[in-house]
Structures are given as structure tokens and as C-alpha cells.
Amino acid sequence: MKRLPPLPALHTFLVTAQCCNFTHAAQQLHITQGAVSRQIAGLEQHLGYALFQRQARGLSLTREGQDWLPRVRQIFVLIDEGVQQVGERGSTLQLKAPTCVMRWLLPRLMEWQALRPDVPVELTTTVQHGVDFRRENFAAAVVYGSVPNHGLQVRKLFDEQLTPVCAPSLLAGPLPLVEMQDLSRHLLLHPSRDEHDWQSWLRAAGVELAAPGRRQHFETLDMAMAMASQGTGVAIGDWSLIGDDLRGGRLCMPFGLKVRTGKAYYLVCPPGAMAPGLVELLDWLETSAATG
């Protein structure tokens, strides 16, 4: 089996063939013109035929050189693709998300890691609803609020839709939830201290509780949902975020009304090219949101 030609010499041939000038090739390769000439001569000696015709005004490819050029170009394209793909496979995608979206996001990231262990994701949670890619080194983020701008790449996951939820056992208890006014007889669980979510839903429902019931505030949606699932009271939550709890029977909706707030959850990335692994992850999350 004949020994393969050296890779540096093939690279020198590729650069020289593209400009057909030893001096220009030397400038691009940051070596001397003599070194370029010697590498080409050595490659021709190894192959047993000439690759260039030396002329007074420069170089031209021989027939063999013309046959070699697309093959050598393909070799270096494959090497470049391999370097990028293998490097991406070993790198971890840094993702940021607010704590309020964890009930939806975390199970899906665990499913993604089972499907694609070669594209690991490291998740950073925060109480903040936004991201500043100029100061924060994340590949992507989930943000909550109005449509993001500032030149970001944006994909919409889902709209916020508020609805009361409780444990199924609460419906079968001594104080059933039949009418919306029945809420006044139950502990209302607030996922924030400003009580804005409950107020927005009651206003949209056209309900003013005759005797406002007891209230309990929590720092996060997850804590409010956990207490609601234990039958402690009735929480207000985003229907999209608690879909898994509803399908699993841990929570139920005593009333069918879902109120859109005008806010939504978005996937955002900084402007510019994205790694293929990140594109696949964002596509997968977007599809998961669309299919519920």
C-alpha cells in the first residue's frame, strides 16, 4: 500500500492552486516562497507527476492538478466539519430560564438529555424574567413577558393563560367548588405577593367575591402548585405550565375559564450563527410547546 501524501503539503497545494502564485500562497500560509516551492516539489515527487506548469507569468494546473483540486478541497471541508461537530458534541449548552417555567421546562430537558446525551445542557434558573447576552454568557434563554426585541433571535413557546387549579380531592370535599363565588370559602394560594394573577382572573370572569377568603402567598409558582396538589387550597397558575400536572391528575381545573394576560414565554438567542446542537434543541422545545 502506497504511503499517503503528507497533509501539510496537501494544504499548501490547495492554497497554491487557488491563487496559482507561489508568492501569494506563501503570504496566506505565513511561510517563505521557497518553503512553498519545496512542499509542492516534494508532493509532486511523492505522487510521481507534476501538479503545476511553471510559466514565466506564474503557474497553471496540469491535468492531474485539476483532477486533484476538488478532491483535496473536499478533504479539508470534511476535516473542518469534523472539528466543528466533535467540538460541539463535547461542549455544554448554557441555558437560562426563570423559575416560573421550571414545571414545564425541566421534564422536557430531561427527556432531551435521554434522547441526545451527546448535546448536554446546563440550566441556570433565576427569578428574573429576562436576559442580557452582552453580560451573560448563555447560548439561549427562556424569557417571560412581552415580545423581546434588541435584535435577538426569538421563538414563541406559548401564551400565558391563567386559570384556578386545585387537587381533585378538594372538589369531593365538604366545600365543593361549583360556582365561582365558592372560592370565598377556600384558601386562595398566590404565586406572588402582589396577588395580580388572581385579580386578573377574577376581573376577566366578572366575579367579585362577596366574602374574600383566606390567602397564602408564595415566592414561586412551583411552591403554590405543590401546596395546591396537597389539597391545601386553590392556586392560580398558567395553564400551559401546569399541563403535565393536569394530565397526571395531580391538579384539576374547577372552572373552564382560561384568561390570556397578553404575556408569553419565548426562546431567545443572541444574533448570529447558532451551533447545530442548539438549533436542534430549540426546534425540539418549540415542537414540544406546540404539541402540549
Side-chain angles (χ1 to χ4, degrees), residues 127-240:
V127 294
Q128 300 173 348
H129 291 160
V131 64
D132 185 350
F133 289 114
R134 296 169 299 179
R135 298 180 176 86
E136 299 176 276
N137 188 27
F138 294 104
V142 178
V143 299
Y144 163 78
S146 56
V147 182
N149 47 26
H150 307 301
L152 300 177
Q153 301 185 63
V154 180
R155 303 181 185 212
K156 186 176 181 179
L157 287 175
F158 39 73
D159 293 306
E160 182 179 48
Q161 301 180 70
L162 298 177
T163 189
V165 292
C166 64
S169 60
L170 199 67
L171 295 181
L175 301 175
L177 284 168
V178 179
E179 304 292 338
M180 293 182 182
Q181 282 291 343
D182 294 335
L183 289 168
S184 62
R185 302 191 294 171
H186 290 271
L187 176 66
L188 299 186
L189 309 176
H190 295 266
S192 61
R193 294 199 170 273
D194 59 14
E195 302 186 3
H196 176 75
D197 290 350
W198 263 117
Q199 292 172 3
S200 297
W201 187 87
L202 290 169
R203 184 166 52 250
V207 174
E208 183 174 351
L209 297 182
R214 296 169 295 129
R215 293 168 292 179
Q216 177 67 53
H217 301 89
F218 297 92
E219 296 297 330
T220 65
L221 173 70
D222 193 62
M223 294 173 64
M225 293 301 121
M227 292 299 292
S229 66
Q230 296 175 23
T232 304
V234 185
I236 187 81
D238 187 338
W239 177 79
S240 300

Side-chain angles (χ1 to χ4, degrees), residues 96-107:
K96 178 184 179 182
T99 54
C100 57
V101 80
M102 285 301 101
R103 296 182 77 81
W104 182 88
L105 181 61
L106 196 56

